[in-house]
Amino acid sequence: MLELESISASYGAIRALEKVSLTVPAGQIVCLLGANGAGKTTTLNCISGVVPLAGGRVRLDGEDITGLSIDKIVARGIVQVPEGREIFPELSVADNLVLGTWLHRRKPSRALFDQVYDYFPRLRERAQQHAGTLSGGEQQMLMIGRALMARPRLLLLDEPSLGLSPVLIEQVFAIIARIHTDGVSILLVEQNARVALSASRYGYVLENGEIRLHGASAELIDNPEIRAAYLGG
């Protein structure tokens, strides 16, 4: 489905990514691990067109989408959920969800709302509430729900567990598993390596902008280097 072929990216004179290659097969969850500053978010931003490539190619279903504008990438089914709580706090929950459909230029169907509310019943309960009054976990649910309103084929999730309690992390990842089961492929960026490897089929480890390790998640979780660096020994 998605292929990154030796992609590189820079911020001025600083090289953020160096010849990163990875694959997200259709119907799978793939995780991307690494410490702060390793280049994980930059990788997602390169895929979604936010950061231009300094080299390499991005392909979706064999089509070269390198250099396409953000809206054209979204139109092809790639939707990113950025790190943090990037919501519109003064708008209602429902209006935040509507913004996820901006590319389609038409009023979202009730069925689309119902699908999102089925994943996140709490959002239905708070549909007319200002988004800024939601808890951190509810705001994360809103971020994912808004992305689903764009009807993605591939979801790019950037640190969905950030700032959440263990109980909320479990809830959010249970919903992510449901979304995947319903046919959405996922590239998951996470610092919580144990959660990410448990949720995914395959994983990559970024260090200083380069792929350091990769393999089946079940194998990586038992890898001594991974255990020492990310799983507490």
Side-chain angles (χ1 to χ4, degrees):
M1 183 177 194
L2 178 75
E3 297 174 81
L4 306 188
E5 182 183 303
S6 297
I7 69 167
S8 299
S10 299
Y11 298 107
I14 300 173
R15 196 68 146 183
L17 295 177
E18 186 65 44
K19 295 184 178 180
V20 168
S21 296
L22 63 80
T23 301
V24 181
Q28 289 196 20
I29 300 179
V30 172
C31 71
L32 183 59
L33 307 177
N36 279 333
K40 306 185 302 297
T41 295
T42 299
T43 301
L44 296 190
N45 286 339
C46 286
I47 295 168
S48 59
V50 175
V51 172
L53 297 187
R57 290 283 179 268
V58 178
R59 291 188 172 86
L60 181 67
D61 295 332
E63 177 192 3
D64 189 344
I65 62 170
T66 310
L68 289 185
S69 61
I70 295 172
D71 59 328
K72 289 181 179 178
I73 290 172
V74 173
R76 281 163 173 75
I78 299 177
V79 180
Q80 183 172 347
V81 180
E83 178 184 350
R85 311 285 184 256
E86 294 190 11
I87 60 171
F88 294 89
E90 298 304 319
L91 296 181
S92 70
V93 167
D95 285 343
N96 269 269
L97 291 175
V98 168
L99 291 174
T101 68
W102 66 272
L103 187 67
H104 304 299
R105 302 291 196 274
R106 61 178 180 270
K107 185 177 179 179
S109 68
R110 175 49 54 187
L112 189 54
F113 273 106
D114 286 343
Q115 182 183 46
V116 171
Y117 290 148
D118 183 52
Y119 290 126
F120 305 106
R122 206 168 301 174
L123 297 184
R124 186 194 298 273
E125 295 169 8
R126 290 157 171 71
Q128 301 310 315
Q129 190 172 317
H130 283 175
T133 66
L134 300 179
S135 69
E138 290 165 348
Q139 289 183 18
Q140 184 63 65
M141 293 174 187
L142 178 57
M143 292 271 291
I144 298 172
R146 187 174 64 194
L148 293 176
M149 294 291 285
R151 299 194 287 266
R153 297 168 53 223
L154 173 63
L155 200 56
L156 310 179
L157 294 176
D158 195 354
E159 303 285 3
S161 74
L162 185 67
L164 301 184
S165 69
V167 170
L168 282 175
I169 290 172
E170 185 176 344
Q171 291 176 5
V172 167
F173 272 84
I175 295 165
I176 289 170
R178 280 188 60 200
I179 292 167
H180 166 248
T181 299
D182 288 342
V184 179
S185 305
I186 296 171
L187 177 57
L188 169 67
V189 159
E190 259 295 339
Q191 285 196 69
N192 191 328
R194 192 177 301 278
V195 169
L197 291 171
S198 297
S200 61
R201 175 78 63 84
Y202 201 88
Y204 294 82
V205 180
L206 265 179
E207 287 186 9
N208 300 317
E210 299 182 31
I211 298 294
R212 175 73 176 78
L213 292 169
H214 64 92
S217 297
E219 296 174 0
L220 289 178
I221 206 166
D222 291 325
N223 183 296
E225 289 184 64
I226 300 297
R227 295 185 69 84
Y230 301 105
L231 301 176

